[in-house]
Amino acid sequence: MEKPYFYETHMHTLEGSACAHNTGAEMARAYKEAGYTGIIITDHFFYGNTAVDRSLAWEDWVEQYCKGYENAKKVGDEIGLQVFFGWESAYHGTEFLVYGLDKEWLKSHPEIKDATIEEQYALVSRDGGMVIHAHPYREASYIPEIRLFPKYVDGVEGINASHRSREKRAADGSPLYDAQALEYAAKHHLPVTGGSDTHTTKLLGGGTAFARRLDDIYDFIKAVKNGEGEPLKPWPREENL
């Protein structure tokens, strides 16, 4: 394969996301077994479906929120799987994947919790991070309307593996939400990523492929912005059907 290094860019853990079914450690082992080079933990952030008590003081909340990543990272270091940190922010159904910032950054920037979409982009960009619009055309009960912000993102999640189980299809049989996202990215000349959006070890098979092994999360950001990544088209696995 021209791009044999697979990276999961959108996934959740039991420690950080209330809707997840497996721990960070379990997710790391599953991805290693599936042949991935690395994963990025993107648990639901403060106003998303977080598993962490919002009544905690900010630093305590951040500490608990990062447990899924830290548990996955510990196992990843032991088994040879790269594990990077990110999060998925939520704005009344509109969601973004944020990469390139860490636990200490979160602790020292409590304003990110209540930042607007525009403010989020300014804060993240200022300190070298990246914002990707997650599944921009998904239709679901928790999404009241489709909202697009091409000026306040660095890229678009063009293929989301979880969409294969949803009903709407494009003319070629692919998920309509993905087809619309890819068209949107092309229109605005935005880089594209792929992710599984998995909450369980039983749904793997999406992500972004690269021709080389990435050095770290900053190298991931650079590679995506340079157009090096190729979204993986989900392949069927018996346990996912």
Side-chain angles (χ1 to χ4, degrees):
M1 298 179 65
E2 293 183 2
K3 296 184 178 180
Y5 298 92
F6 294 178
Y7 287 83
E8 176 58 79
T9 68
H10 186 173
M11 60 178 292
H12 301 271
T13 74
L14 187 64
E15 294 93 334
S17 298
C19 42
H21 299 279
N22 291 95
T23 65
E26 291 169 339
M27 297 299 283
R29 293 190 183 97
Y31 272 98
K32 177 64 176 180
E33 184 178 348
Y36 282 71
T37 303
I39 59 176
I40 308 176
I41 307 297
T42 55
D43 278 316
H44 291 296
F45 202 53
F46 194 87
Y47 291 116
N49 197 19
T50 180
V52 186
D53 184 357
R54 295 186 184 89
S55 68
L56 291 171
W58 176 245
E59 289 198 7
D60 294 333
W61 187 89
V62 171
E63 195 69 39
Q64 291 299 314
Y65 174 75
C66 293
K67 291 297 183 182
Y69 158 73
E70 291 172 345
N71 292 338
K73 180 72 164 60
K74 181 177 184 297
V75 169
D77 289 346
E78 295 170 355
I79 63 177
L81 178 78
Q82 291 180 295
V83 180
F84 304 147
F85 177 72
W87 67 83
E88 184 174 25
S89 62
Y91 292 85
H92 304 290
T94 305
E95 295 177 300
F96 302 91
L97 300 167
V98 180
Y99 308 111
L101 305 171
D102 58 17
K103 180 169 74 173
E104 294 310 311
W105 187 94
L106 284 174
K107 286 184 176 180
S108 61
H109 291 82
E111 66 272 22
I112 192 63
K113 175 173 70 71
D114 294 304
T116 64
I117 291 172
E118 295 82 358
E119 290 168 344
Q120 170 185 256
Y121 185 67
L123 284 166
V124 173
S125 299
R126 183 191 66 192
D127 290 337
M130 180 171 69
V131 179
I132 298 292
H133 194 152
H135 45 72
Y137 284 92
R138 175 182 292 177
E139 296 178 24
S141 59
Y142 72 93
I143 303 176
E145 61 179 329
I146 302 299
R147 299 187 298 160
L148 304 174
F149 299 87
K151 293 182 179 180
Y152 301 108
V153 298
D154 299 298
V156 174
E157 184 180 60
I159 296 181
N160 184 296
S162 71
H163 288 165
R164 66 182 144 186
S165 63
R166 297 175 185 265
E167 295 181 0
K168 287 199 173 182
R169 297 280 163 179
D172 64 356
S174 62
L176 179 61
Y177 310 128
D178 291 349
Q180 292 171 316
L182 291 169
E183 182 179 352
Y184 167 58
K187 177 181 178 180
H188 292 279
H189 307 288
L190 291 167
V192 173
T193 63
S196 291
D197 194 6
T198 183
H199 294 64
T200 169
T201 58
K202 294 182 179 180
L203 175 60
L204 308 182
T208 306
F210 295 90
R212 61 185 179 84
R213 179 183 173 90
L214 303 176
D215 295 333
D216 50 31
I217 190 65
Y218 308 108
D219 196 22
F220 168 77
I221 292 172
K222 177 182 176 181
V224 169
K225 289 185 175 181
N226 288 342
E228 295 181 43
E230 180 179 341
L232 290 171
K233 293 183 179 180
W235 55 86
R237 290 167 52 120
E238 182 178 350
E239 63 267 36
N240 296 334
L241 301 178

